[in-house]
mmCIF file of all heavy atoms in Angstrom:
data_model
loop_
_atom_site.group_PDB
_atom_site.id
_atom_site.type_symbol
_atom_site.label_atom_id
_atom_site.label_comp_id
_atom_site.label_asym_id
_atom_site.label_seq_id
_atom_site.Cartn_x
_atom_site.Cartn_y
_atom_site.Cartn_z
ATOM 1 N N GLU J 37 17.966 -24.894 -56.676
ATOM 2 C CA GLU J 37 17.016 -25.089 -55.605
ATOM 3 C C GLU J 37 15.951 -23.967 -55.681
ATOM 4 O O GLU J 37 16.223 -22.863 -56.185
ATOM 5 C CB GLU J 37 17.708 -24.975 -54.247
ATOM 6 C CG GLU J 37 18.680 -26.148 -53.996
ATOM 7 C CD GLU J 37 19.291 -26.030 -52.661
ATOM 8 O OE1 GLU J 37 19.367 -24.893 -52.088
ATOM 9 O OE2 GLU J 37 19.762 -27.080 -52.139
ATOM 10 N N VAL J 38 14.725 -24.286 -55.281
ATOM 11 C CA VAL J 38 13.723 -23.281 -55.257
ATOM 12 C C VAL J 38 13.289 -23.040 -53.810
ATOM 13 O O VAL J 38 12.833 -23.945 -53.134
ATOM 14 C CB VAL J 38 12.447 -23.721 -56.063
ATOM 15 C CG1 VAL J 38 11.363 -22.666 -55.944
ATOM 16 C CG2 VAL J 38 12.834 -23.968 -57.518
ATOM 17 N N GLU J 39 13.565 -21.862 -53.352
ATOM 18 C CA GLU J 39 13.149 -21.478 -52.001
ATOM 19 C C GLU J 39 11.679 -21.039 -52.124
ATOM 20 O O GLU J 39 11.360 -19.944 -52.582
ATOM 21 C CB GLU J 39 14.016 -20.355 -51.418
ATOM 22 C CG GLU J 39 13.763 -20.140 -49.938
ATOM 23 C CD GLU J 39 14.586 -19.034 -49.333
ATOM 24 O OE1 GLU J 39 15.301 -18.335 -50.133
ATOM 25 O OE2 GLU J 39 14.507 -18.852 -48.112
ATOM 26 N N ALA J 40 10.798 -21.910 -51.729
ATOM 27 C CA ALA J 40 9.327 -21.614 -51.910
ATOM 28 C C ALA J 40 8.790 -20.784 -50.790
ATOM 29 O O ALA J 40 7.941 -19.928 -50.949
ATOM 30 C CB ALA J 40 8.543 -22.894 -52.072
ATOM 31 N N LEU J 41 9.314 -21.039 -49.626
ATOM 32 C CA LEU J 41 8.734 -20.424 -48.422
ATOM 33 C C LEU J 41 9.849 -19.955 -47.526
ATOM 34 O O LEU J 41 10.697 -20.754 -47.111
ATOM 35 C CB LEU J 41 7.821 -21.459 -47.698
ATOM 36 C CG LEU J 41 6.748 -20.921 -46.826
ATOM 37 C CD1 LEU J 41 5.724 -20.135 -47.561
ATOM 38 C CD2 LEU J 41 6.040 -22.082 -46.073
ATOM 39 N N ALA J 42 9.906 -18.662 -47.284
ATOM 40 C CA ALA J 42 10.835 -18.141 -46.305
ATOM 41 C C ALA J 42 10.280 -18.483 -44.903
ATOM 42 O O ALA J 42 9.144 -18.727 -44.730
ATOM 43 C CB ALA J 42 11.037 -16.661 -46.473
ATOM 44 N N PRO J 43 11.182 -18.457 -43.863
ATOM 45 C CA PRO J 43 10.689 -18.789 -42.525
ATOM 46 C C PRO J 43 9.453 -18.002 -42.118
ATOM 47 O O PRO J 43 9.445 -16.788 -42.212
ATOM 48 C CB PRO J 43 11.856 -18.436 -41.624
ATOM 49 C CG PRO J 43 13.070 -18.631 -42.462
ATOM 50 C CD PRO J 43 12.622 -18.254 -43.859
ATOM 51 N N VAL J 44 8.401 -18.763 -41.762
ATOM 52 C CA VAL J 44 7.136 -18.140 -41.461
ATOM 53 C C VAL J 44 6.771 -18.422 -40.012
ATOM 54 O O VAL J 44 6.903 -19.566 -39.539
ATOM 55 C CB VAL J 44 6.011 -18.715 -42.359
ATOM 56 C CG1 VAL J 44 4.645 -18.336 -41.820
ATOM 57 C CG2 VAL J 44 6.197 -18.267 -43.790
ATOM 58 N N ASP J 45 6.373 -17.380 -39.296
ATOM 59 C CA ASP J 45 5.811 -17.542 -37.926
ATOM 60 C C ASP J 45 4.331 -17.194 -38.024
ATOM 61 O O ASP J 45 3.936 -16.225 -38.669
ATOM 62 C CB ASP J 45 6.427 -16.487 -36.947
ATOM 63 C CG ASP J 45 7.905 -16.831 -36.709
ATOM 64 O OD1 ASP J 45 8.278 -18.036 -36.767
ATOM 65 O OD2 ASP J 45 8.676 -15.850 -36.511
ATOM 66 N N LEU J 46 3.500 -18.075 -37.420
ATOM 67 C CA LEU J 46 2.065 -17.830 -37.531
ATOM 68 C C LEU J 46 1.366 -18.561 -36.363
ATOM 69 O O LEU J 46 1.687 -19.693 -36.081
ATOM 70 C CB LEU J 46 1.539 -18.335 -38.879
ATOM 71 C CG LEU J 46 0.049 -18.366 -39.119
ATOM 72 C CD1 LEU J 46 -0.465 -16.931 -39.141
ATOM 73 C CD2 LEU J 46 -0.256 -19.041 -40.450
ATOM 74 N N ASP J 47 0.444 -17.849 -35.775
ATOM 75 C CA ASP J 47 -0.420 -18.504 -34.772
ATOM 76 C C ASP J 47 -1.842 -18.380 -35.293
ATOM 77 O O ASP J 47 -2.289 -17.330 -35.724
ATOM 78 C CB ASP J 47 -0.392 -17.762 -33.416
ATOM 79 C CG ASP J 47 0.940 -18.120 -32.668
ATOM 80 O OD1 ASP J 47 1.509 -19.202 -32.982
ATOM 81 O OD2 ASP J 47 1.375 -17.329 -31.837
ATOM 82 N N VAL J 48 -2.591 -19.498 -35.230
ATOM 83 C CA VAL J 48 -3.981 -19.481 -35.639
ATOM 84 C C VAL J 48 -4.818 -19.915 -34.465
ATOM 85 O O VAL J 48 -4.534 -21.021 -33.922
ATOM 86 C CB VAL J 48 -4.268 -20.374 -36.866
ATOM 87 C CG1 VAL J 48 -5.740 -20.323 -37.240
ATOM 88 C CG2 VAL J 48 -3.353 -19.971 -38.010
ATOM 89 N N ARG J 49 -5.777 -19.097 -34.025
ATOM 90 C CA ARG J 49 -6.597 -19.487 -32.853
ATOM 91 C C ARG J 49 -7.568 -20.555 -33.229
ATOM 92 O O ARG J 49 -7.980 -20.693 -34.405
ATOM 93 C CB ARG J 49 -7.342 -18.225 -32.385
ATOM 94 C CG ARG J 49 -6.502 -17.124 -31.878
ATOM 95 C CD ARG J 49 -7.361 -16.026 -31.260
ATOM 96 N NE ARG J 49 -8.266 -15.429 -32.265
ATOM 97 C CZ ARG J 49 -7.940 -14.385 -33.006
ATOM 98 N NH1 ARG J 49 -6.760 -13.842 -32.866
ATOM 99 N NH2 ARG J 49 -8.809 -13.834 -33.839
ATOM 100 N N THR J 50 -7.944 -21.318 -32.261
ATOM 101 C CA THR J 50 -8.964 -22.380 -32.478
ATOM 102 C C THR J 50 -10.249 -21.718 -32.944
ATOM 103 O O THR J 50 -10.696 -20.778 -32.332
ATOM 104 C CB THR J 50 -9.168 -23.157 -31.180
ATOM 105 O OG1 THR J 50 -7.958 -23.728 -30.783
ATOM 106 C CG2 THR J 50 -10.241 -24.222 -31.384
ATOM 107 N N GLY J 51 -10.778 -22.256 -34.015
ATOM 108 C CA GLY J 51 -12.071 -21.733 -34.503
ATOM 109 C C GLY J 51 -11.910 -20.457 -35.350
ATOM 110 O O GLY J 51 -12.903 -19.929 -35.747
ATOM 111 N N GLU J 52 -10.708 -20.127 -35.675
ATOM 112 C CA GLU J 52 -10.502 -18.917 -36.505
ATOM 113 C C GLU J 52 -10.547 -19.268 -37.942
ATOM 114 O O GLU J 52 -10.250 -20.326 -38.349
ATOM 115 C CB GLU J 52 -9.111 -18.302 -36.164
ATOM 116 C CG GLU J 52 -8.954 -16.856 -36.684
ATOM 117 C CD GLU J 52 -7.583 -16.255 -36.269
ATOM 118 O OE1 GLU J 52 -6.705 -17.020 -35.906
ATOM 119 O OE2 GLU J 52 -7.456 -15.083 -36.405
ATOM 120 N N LEU J 53 -11.051 -18.275 -38.769
ATOM 121 C CA LEU J 53 -11.067 -18.431 -40.217
ATOM 122 C C LEU J 53 -10.083 -17.423 -40.833
ATOM 123 O O LEU J 53 -10.340 -16.239 -40.794
ATOM 124 C CB LEU J 53 -12.478 -18.186 -40.732
ATOM 125 C CG LEU J 53 -12.922 -18.784 -42.089
ATOM 126 C CD1 LEU J 53 -14.390 -18.517 -42.366
ATOM 127 C CD2 LEU J 53 -12.084 -18.420 -43.233
ATOM 128 N N VAL J 54 -8.971 -17.897 -41.284
ATOM 129 C CA VAL J 54 -7.910 -17.061 -41.795
ATOM 130 C C VAL J 54 -7.813 -17.241 -43.303
ATOM 131 O O VAL J 54 -7.723 -18.331 -43.820
ATOM 132 C CB VAL J 54 -6.528 -17.432 -41.134
ATOM 133 C CG1 VAL J 54 -5.426 -16.560 -41.678
ATOM 134 C CG2 VAL J 54 -6.656 -17.324 -39.641
ATOM 135 N N CYS J 55 -7.776 -16.121 -44.034
ATOM 136 C CA CYS J 55 -7.635 -16.131 -45.462
ATOM 137 C C CYS J 55 -6.213 -15.820 -45.837
ATOM 138 O O CYS J 55 -5.591 -14.873 -45.233
ATOM 139 C CB CYS J 55 -8.584 -15.226 -46.144
ATOM 140 S SG CYS J 55 -10.308 -15.729 -46.056
ATOM 141 N N LEU J 56 -5.626 -16.539 -46.783
ATOM 142 C CA LEU J 56 -4.291 -16.297 -47.253
ATOM 143 C C LEU J 56 -4.302 -15.747 -48.666
ATOM 144 O O LEU J 56 -4.910 -16.302 -49.564
ATOM 145 C CB LEU J 56 -3.483 -17.606 -47.263
ATOM 146 C CG LEU J 56 -2.803 -18.095 -45.984
ATOM 147 C CD1 LEU J 56 -3.671 -17.962 -44.784
ATOM 148 C CD2 LEU J 56 -2.272 -19.506 -46.137
ATOM 149 N N LEU J 57 -3.563 -14.620 -48.828
ATOM 150 C CA LEU J 57 -3.498 -13.959 -50.152
ATOM 151 C C LEU J 57 -2.064 -13.910 -50.578
ATOM 152 O O LEU J 57 -1.173 -13.732 -49.687
ATOM 153 C CB LEU J 57 -4.089 -12.586 -50.109
ATOM 154 C CG LEU J 57 -5.618 -12.425 -50.050
ATOM 155 C CD1 LEU J 57 -5.979 -10.965 -49.769
ATOM 156 C CD2 LEU J 57 -6.263 -12.884 -51.326
ATOM 157 N N GLY J 58 -1.820 -13.915 -51.894
ATOM 158 C CA GLY J 58 -0.437 -13.742 -52.324
ATOM 159 C C GLY J 58 -0.324 -14.078 -53.756
ATOM 160 O O GLY J 58 -1.149 -14.806 -54.355
ATOM 161 N N ALA J 59 0.709 -13.555 -54.440
ATOM 162 C CA ALA J 59 0.925 -13.738 -55.845
ATOM 163 C C ALA J 59 1.026 -15.259 -56.111
ATOM 164 O O ALA J 59 1.427 -16.040 -55.240
ATOM 165 C CB ALA J 59 2.115 -13.042 -56.333
ATOM 166 N N SER J 60 0.756 -15.658 -57.358
ATOM 167 C CA SER J 60 0.876 -17.036 -57.738
ATOM 168 C C SER J 60 2.340 -17.477 -57.610
ATOM 169 O O SER J 60 3.238 -16.760 -57.941
ATOM 170 C CB SER J 60 0.462 -17.166 -59.224
ATOM 171 O OG SER J 60 0.516 -18.483 -59.588
ATOM 172 N N GLY J 61 2.549 -18.597 -56.990
ATOM 173 C CA GLY J 61 3.859 -19.174 -56.837
ATOM 174 C C GLY J 61 4.585 -18.698 -55.574
ATOM 175 O O GLY J 61 5.776 -18.969 -55.393
ATOM 176 N N CYS J 62 3.846 -18.012 -54.707
ATOM 177 C CA CYS J 62 4.534 -17.523 -53.493
ATOM 178 C C CYS J 62 4.616 -18.497 -52.339
ATOM 179 O O CYS J 62 5.187 -18.261 -51.334
ATOM 180 C CB CYS J 62 3.848 -16.198 -53.013
ATOM 181 S SG CYS J 62 2.294 -16.504 -52.187
ATOM 182 N N GLY J 63 4.047 -19.666 -52.577
ATOM 183 C CA GLY J 63 4.180 -20.713 -51.561
ATOM 184 C C GLY J 63 2.985 -20.985 -50.715
ATOM 185 O O GLY J 63 3.107 -21.653 -49.670
ATOM 186 N N LYS J 64 1.847 -20.527 -51.099
ATOM 187 C CA LYS J 64 0.619 -20.740 -50.294
ATOM 188 C C LYS J 64 0.286 -22.257 -50.236
ATOM 189 O O LYS J 64 0.035 -22.771 -49.147
ATOM 190 C CB LYS J 64 -0.565 -19.979 -50.830
ATOM 191 C CG LYS J 64 -0.297 -18.453 -50.981
ATOM 192 C CD LYS J 64 -1.515 -17.732 -51.569
ATOM 193 C CE LYS J 64 -1.831 -18.136 -53.004
ATOM 194 N NZ LYS J 64 -0.842 -17.747 -54.025
ATOM 195 N N SER J 65 0.279 -22.849 -51.336
ATOM 196 C CA SER J 65 -0.054 -24.287 -51.420
ATOM 197 C C SER J 65 1.002 -25.072 -50.662
ATOM 198 O O SER J 65 0.688 -26.050 -49.947
ATOM 199 C CB SER J 65 -0.103 -24.790 -52.859
ATOM 200 O OG SER J 65 -1.078 -24.126 -53.568
ATOM 201 N N THR J 66 2.247 -24.669 -50.805
ATOM 202 C CA THR J 66 3.352 -25.291 -50.080
ATOM 203 C C THR J 66 3.084 -25.234 -48.594
ATOM 204 O O THR J 66 3.219 -26.208 -47.888
ATOM 205 C CB THR J 66 4.690 -24.640 -50.439
ATOM 206 O OG1 THR J 66 4.843 -24.630 -51.849
ATOM 207 C CG2 THR J 66 5.857 -25.325 -49.802
ATOM 208 N N LEU J 67 2.714 -24.056 -48.124
ATOM 209 C CA LEU J 67 2.471 -23.922 -46.690
ATOM 210 C C LEU J 67 1.367 -24.865 -46.192
ATOM 211 O O LEU J 67 1.494 -25.520 -45.221
ATOM 212 C CB LEU J 67 2.089 -22.486 -46.375
ATOM 213 C CG LEU J 67 1.802 -22.172 -44.914
ATOM 214 C CD1 LEU J 67 3.084 -22.293 -44.098
ATOM 215 C CD2 LEU J 67 1.280 -20.754 -44.699
#
Side-chain angles (χ1 to χ4, degrees):
Chain J
E37 293 181 339
V38 177
E39 190 182 6
L41 204 63
V44 167
D45 293 327
L46 173 65
D47 285 335
V48 181
R49 294 187 298 272
T50 301
E52 196 179 13
L53 203 175
V54 179
C55 290
L56 272 48
L57 286 170
S60 182
C62 74
K64 305 179 295 293
S65 300
T66 304
L67 181 65

